[in-house]
Amino acid sequence: AQSVSQHNHHVILSEAASLELGCNYSYGGTVNLFWYVQYPGQHLQLLLKYFSGDPLVKGIKGFEAEFIKSKFSFNLRKPSVQWSDTAEYFCAAKRNAGNMLTFGGGTRLMVKP
Amino acid sequence: DGGITQSPKYLFRKEGQNVTLSCEQNLNHDAMYWYRQDPGQGLRLIYYSQIVNDFQKGDIAEGYSVSREKKESFPLTVTSAQKNPTAFYLCASSIGPPVSGRYNEQFFGPGTRLTVL
């Protein structure tokens, strides 16, 4: 069965620190991977996605993620976080068939001003 | 103002009662989804519907029921058979049924937090 795992449940950083959130998936076949973000009190929204091509994907608000096939990973990064990045982040993978997503457990990021 | 609305934002029910959560979208999307969000478990798919009058069970459908009589509406009923119904429920929609090798982005509503007392 497909699964997506996120290593850290809670991350606390100071402003300007660098961020890396881990995500690993466990299934074969064509891989479509996503990061979603849920800001406090707001809708879940798509941050970035990987389908094919360049494994380094750039998203909104300065976020990027790198697909490493050999490690089954799709880690999210940002060089310098801001207080406004405080949110919960979800990694997700598209199932082989259909439009359904499998989500990881989420990582709560708190950025201290 | 286009989007997905879920009502109410907070809902309280007594144990043993059925409760229906509303989800409406005016995006003209064919596909709609219901997820349950629990701390540390991410989002888990309850039911999805690719088109009107059709719906399929997701990973955790037991204790839930849905209907899709209109394109814009996909209500979810949490029945008394659901053993642990207290959770945050998210509805989503996408432009159409899945096409092989292609992903249609899912757009999410604001969610309903259900507490069963």
Side-chain angles (χ1 to χ4, degrees):
Chain A
Q2 296 176 344
S3 70
V4 176
S5 59
Q6 294 180 239
H7 314 301
N8 310 99
H9 294 298
H10 297 276
V11 173
I12 302 174
L13 294 173
S14 297
E15 275 196 315
S18 64
L19 170 72
E20 180 159 4
L21 301 182
C23 173
N24 286 92
Y25 61 94
S26 62
Y27 63 99
T30 302
V31 176
N32 299 146
L33 296 161
F34 310 83
W35 276 97
Y36 277 83
V37 60
Q38 190 172 36
Y39 296 104
Q42 294 189 28
H43 300 201
L44 196 69
Q45 58 185 288
L46 184 64
L47 201 54
L48 48 79
K49 61 190 177 193
Y50 170 78
F51 275 68
S52 63
D54 189 345
L56 185 62
V57 180
K58 295 200 183 294
I60 60 173
K61 304 186 180 185
F63 286 92
E64 65 179 31
E66 185 174 13
F67 169 57
I68 303 179
K69 190 174 182 179
S70 61
K71 295 185 178 180
F72 296 90
S73 71
F74 189 57
N75 292 355
L76 181 71
R77 301 195 294 245
K78 186 171 183 178
S80 176
V81 295
Q82 300 172 314
W83 175 79
S84 58
D85 293 324
T86 294
E88 189 160 16
Y89 294 82
F90 295 93
C91 183
K94 177 183 174 296
R95 304 182 189 198
N96 288 340
N99 207 50
M100 280 67 70
L101 301 174
T102 299
F103 284 85
T107 298
R108 282 188 184 273
L109 171 66
M110 177 184 291
V111 180
K112 298 185 294 183
Chain B
D1 189 18
I4 303 172
T5 56
Q6 292 184 243
S7 60
K9 189 172 182 178
Y10 299 96
L11 191 54
F12 297 88
R13 279 293 181 270
K14 291 183 180 179
E15 196 172 341
Q17 289 182 334
N18 291 358
V19 60
T20 297
L21 281 57
S22 166
C23 178
E24 304 278 331
Q25 54 97 0
N26 61 3
L27 301 168
N28 201 33
H29 285 173
D30 284 313
M32 296 186 75
Y33 314 79
W34 272 106
Y35 293 90
R36 172 183 170 136
Q37 184 178 355
D38 295 283
Q41 297 192 56
L43 281 69
R44 292 179 290 167
L45 184 65
I46 304 172
Y47 267 97
Y48 64 97
S49 168
Q50 297 183 1
I51 203 162
V52 174
N53 292 323
D54 177 71
F55 49 84
Q56 306 292 331
K57 291 182 180 180
D59 299 318
I60 54 166
E62 186 175 348
Y64 299 98
S65 66
V66 293
S67 62
R68 187 83 189 278
E69 297 176 3
K70 298 187 293 183
K71 187 175 185 177
E72 59 270 22
S73 179
F74 190 40
L76 173 75
T77 297
V78 184
T79 75
S80 56
Q82 168 50 232
K83 290 180 171 49
N84 186 19
T86 293
F88 189 56
Y89 291 88
L90 282 170
C91 178
S93 70
S94 65
I95 193 166
V99 176
S100 176
R102 183 177 171 177
Y103 171 69
N104 294 325
E105 181 177 344
Q106 293 183 26
F107 295 86
F108 288 82
T112 291
R113 187 166 297 280
L114 172 65
T115 302
V116 175
L117 306 169

